[in-house]
Amino acid sequence: MSCFQQMSPPSRNSQSEGSCLTSSQSGSSYIVQTFNIMLLCEEEFVVEPQSLRFLVHHGFDFNKQYEKGVPYYRGADKTEDKNIQSVRHLFVELVAMEKPIVLHNGLVDLLFMYENLYTSLPPTSAMFLADLSDMFPNGIIDTKYITDFEHLMQASYLEYVFRKCQKDNENKCGKCTIHFPHYPASYPHVTYRNCNIKPQFDIGENPDAYKAALCDTYTGHGWCPKEKFCPRSHDIDLIIDVDNYMEKNKSRKRKRRRQNRETKDINQQSLDDDDDDGDDSVSKGNNSEVSKDVVVTDTVENGTNSGVKRKLIDSEEILKKLKSEMTNEETHANGGHRAGYDAFMTGFIYAVYRASGDTWIDKTEEWKNKLYLGGKDYPLSVSKSSFSKHSKQHLEKISKIRNTDCKE
């Protein structure tokens, strides 16, 4: 869980003493606190070996979970749980605050929180969506929906979008700034993770080699079945730099093709206007073009093998350099995938999206209550339809939270 509180920007003429902001900052600023709460289900549950393998490779400590994990259970509240401070009480506080919540590809997360931290799931999806809209009246934001339907990035998995937003925000001179509380060094439970941006790769030096060094599966989906044993690179910064270079290169090619078409039209017009020896000139021009094409094709064919060989050599050199800079031990030290860090990345993405654009136009109303659906070209709308009702369990619980009468 990561909590973002927006800070008021300083006035243009003055700035209060001790403020975190400078007068040059015109964007949004947040103070952030992130919490990593390790849970443990006290009932029987099923796990997938592939998921366990993924967590182990990313530094998850199962011994710590089974020793110190905060217990939780499924379904409705238990009577003996009323006087015990539990994770359910924390979730009730979040619901009572009626703040907007932000997730990334969050449908499964909402199902999990509802069943394990709130009450039993209702019998129909329409009831579930109606309950959600009542639990979070100020909206649910799904950053994966915004990424895929609004910002249209090349990929939309969490780490890619986070790093892309970091780089874009830095290029805009920090339009969105983040501040963290200062904790005493004596706090053993406070840990830090370095998420600074690396220096940009010089992709133009050899774009084909850099692209060949990347794992195609990880590049597209943020996950690779070979994990740390994959011979290709999973470096997010390199993936983004290659994507940016390729996109700019495509733009240059489109511009060049457009200019060539305009030049060709001008030349064709000149030929049409030449009435003296136009036919002979066109004939000679065609012969010249044919011979030129033959020469170019022959040159490419002769140089193909050496070009591929050079490309493979360069990509291997790039891989060696990347592996020397980032070892598996460093990945484990950073903590890998942790719920708290994932929550922070999600919140930061939304903060950057809010601050993006030339003018301050808050698009929250356009984005809220739209959940990403895999394989669909439309989102799932979180709302109560005129044909659906709230579930009985939800009405009973929300009435206790808000001290209101239980009625539909």
Side-chain angles (χ1 to χ4, degrees), residues 38-39 54-63 65 332 335 337:
M38 188 170 285
L39 302 179
F54 175 87
L55 291 171
V56 169
H57 287 164
H58 287 83
F60 188 84
D61 190 345
F62 284 98
N63 290 329
Q65 182 193 26
H332 280 257
H337 277 271

Side-chain angles (χ1 to χ4, degrees), residues 149-295:
F149 287 84
E150 301 288 339
H151 282 256
L152 307 177
M153 288 188 186
Q154 289 93 330
S156 60
Y157 52 91
L158 182 60
E159 193 174 5
Y160 181 97
V161 182
F162 170 67
R163 284 309 239 189
K164 186 75 165 62
C165 285
Q166 261 192 305
K167 291 173 180 284
D168 292 346
N169 188 59
E170 188 178 66
N171 292 336
K172 295 174 182 176
C173 301
K175 201 167 186 179
C176 176
T177 55
I178 301 295
H179 307 278
F180 301 98
H182 296 287
Y183 300 102
S186 58
Y187 281 18
H189 55 280
V190 176
T191 58
Y192 298 89
R193 172 159 180 167
N194 181 10
C195 55
N196 291 330
I197 299 175
K198 294 179 182 178
Q200 189 170 346
F201 290 92
D202 186 10
I203 308 299
E205 183 181 50
N206 195 336
D208 289 338
Y210 276 105
K211 190 174 181 180
L214 295 174
C215 170
D216 291 336
T217 304
Y218 194 90
T219 297
H221 307 287
W223 178 83
C224 173
K226 298 178 182 178
E227 289 290 342
K228 63 181 181 180
F229 304 106
C230 180
R232 303 286 95 183
S233 175
H234 294 174
D235 190 295
I236 290 293
D237 294 284
L238 177 58
I239 292 171
I240 293 173
D241 288 346
V242 168
D243 282 349
N244 288 341
Y245 177 85
M246 295 300 175
E247 185 63 29
K248 289 179 181 177
N249 199 36
K250 285 181 181 178
S251 299
R252 286 196 294 266
K253 285 182 178 179
R254 285 194 294 267
K255 184 178 180 181
R256 193 159 53 243
R257 282 197 297 267
R258 186 169 61 252
Q259 291 174 342
N260 289 340
R261 282 197 300 268
E262 293 172 355
T263 304
K264 185 177 179 181
D265 291 341
I266 294 171
N267 291 338
Q268 184 64 41
Q269 184 65 37
S270 299
L271 289 171
D272 292 341
D273 293 340
D274 190 353
D275 296 328
D276 296 332
D277 53 351
D279 293 337
D280 186 50
S281 297
V282 171
S283 177
K284 290 179 180 178
N286 287 338
N287 290 335
S288 176
E289 287 177 7
V290 170
S291 62
K292 192 181 295 183
D293 288 342
V294 171
V295 172

Side-chain angles (χ1 to χ4, degrees), residues 9 25 37 40-41 100 105 122 149 197 224 229-230 301 303 352 372 374 379:
Q25 291 172 331
I37 305 171
L40 179 65
C41 185
N105 198 13
F149 287 84
I197 299 175
C224 173
F229 304 106
C230 180
E301 289 177 353
V352 172
Y372 176 83

Side-chain angles (χ1 to χ4, degrees), residues 303-369:
T304 297
N305 293 333
S306 60
V308 171
K309 196 171 185 180
R310 182 66 238 168
K311 173 181 169 183
L312 291 174
I313 293 172
D314 288 344
S315 63
E316 294 301 326
E317 291 173 354
I318 292 168
L319 282 169
K320 287 179 182 178
K321 182 181 178 182
L322 290 171
K323 288 181 179 180
S324 67
E325 293 176 354
M326 183 177 184
T327 62
N328 291 325
E329 287 74 21
E330 290 173 336
T331 302
H332 280 257
N334 281 338
H337 277 271
R338 300 181 66 180
Y341 185 61
D342 287 357
F344 167 73
M345 288 193 289
T346 302
F348 179 81
I349 291 167
Y350 176 60
V352 172
Y353 281 166
R354 283 194 66 196
S356 63
D358 298 328
T359 58
W360 253 101
I361 301 175
D362 193 350
K363 294 187 176 181
T364 300
E365 289 300 318
E366 299 177 21
W367 296 338
K368 74 178 185 180
N369 294 337

